[in-house]
Amino acid sequence: MTLQDYRFEGKMKKIKIGAVGLGRLGYQHAENIAFKIPGAELVALCDKDEVKLNKTADAWGIPNRYTDYEDMITNQALDAVVISSPSSLHTTQIAQALDAGLHVFSEKPLGTNLEECKIAEEAVERHPELVFMLGFMRRYDPSYAYAREKIRNGDIGNVVLFRGYSQDPESCIEGAIAYAGHSGGQFIDMAVHDIDLARWMVDSEPITIHAIGGCYAHQEFGAFKDGDNVAALMQMENDAMVFLFAGRTAPHGYNVETEIIGTKATLRIASVPQKNMVEILDHHGVRQECSQDFLERFEQAYLAEINEFIKCIHDHRKPEVTVYDGTKTTEIAYQCKKAFETNELIRM
C-alpha cells in the first residue's frame, strides 16, 4: 500500500489497527491507540481471555474481537497490528502479519533466541513495502533522546562508561515469578532495554561479556536458571565499558536510572527515580515519591513510539529501530544469560 492509498479528499486516512494482548502493556498500547493517537483507529482486539476481551471491547466500542490471532489478521479492514503477546509468540505473529500485508509494531524482545529472530528478519526482508517497528520505548523518552544528542554532539567527549539500572518493585514479584517460565530470563525479558540503550548511545557493539547474579530473595527463579538480581559487564569495540544491572526486588518502586561517563562530562538520567517534582515534608523527613511501575515512568514514551509507528506508515518511511536492532539485542542478552549460567567470560 502506498502513501497515496492513505490519502482521502486531501486528508490522511486513519490507520486501522488490530491489537493482540491485553496484559498491562498491551492494554496501555490499545488504550493509547483508541483514544490518544489522532492518526490511528483501533478496530480489533485479540486476547485469549474472552472475559477481559469482551469487557474491554464493550467499554471502548471496538467492533471486532478475537481469541485467535490468525483469525484477526484475515480482517480486510486492518492496515496494521500492534503485538503485545507473550515473548515466545512475537516472531511467528510478526511473520504472519507481514505476510498478510499488514504493517507491524511489536513489543520487545524481538525473540527469545536467534532462531526466532531470523524468522522475523526474513519476514521483514520479504516485505520491504511494509513498516516494521520494535518497541524499544526508551529511545522515545525525551530525557534519553536529549542525552543521546549530547553524546552525538561530542559534549561529553569520548564515552568511558555506560551504566544502566533497571529495577522492578518487590510489590510486582508474584507476576514476575508466574511469567518466569516463558520470559526467556531476566537479561532477555528485562535487560534488553539497557542493552539497546547502550548500543544506541555508545554507538558500538560488545566484544566481551561477563555476567553474575543470583536468587537473593526468591529461589523460584533458580528453577529456570535465572536470578532475581543479575548484572553484566561488557567491553565494547570502541573500548567503552558497559555495566548493566537488572533487579526484581526494589523495595521503593520502579527504578530505571542511567549514567554515561565521558572524558569531558557525565550525564545522569533519573538518578533519583522520582514520580514528579514534589517534595514531601512530614514526620518521615523530606522525601520524594517514586514511580511504581514502567507504565507510569514511561507513559509518554509509550505514546510517542506508537505515534511514530503511525507517522511512518503515513509518511511511507521506516523507523529508526529496525528488526536487526532486535536481533542484535537478543543475541547480546542471550550471551549475557550464557555468561551468567556458566560464570565464564564470553567473547563475541
Side-chain angles (χ1 to χ4, degrees), residues 18-28 30 44-57 62 64-72 82-86 89 93:
V20 57
L22 287 172
R24 287 192 298 167
L25 182 50
Y27 185 95
Q28 181 73 61
L45 284 173
C46 179
D47 195 273
K48 291 290 187 184
D49 186 336
E50 197 165 1
V51 173
K52 180 190 291 184
L53 172 66
N54 287 324
K55 181 179 179 180
T56 305
I62 307 303
N64 304 294
R65 56 202 70 179
Y66 303 87
T67 56
D68 187 294
Y69 175 77
E70 292 182 26
D71 286 344
M72 185 180 77
V82 169
I83 298 171
S84 305
S85 53
L89 300 178
Q93 292 182 341

Side-chain angles (χ1 to χ4, degrees), residues 127-144:
H127 300 285
E129 77 282 8
L130 296 173
V131 173
F132 171 77
M133 183 171 171
L134 193 62
F136 285 132
M137 82 293 182
R138 293 187 193 176
R139 296 192 186 202
Y140 297 92
D141 177 81
S143 297
Y144 282 108

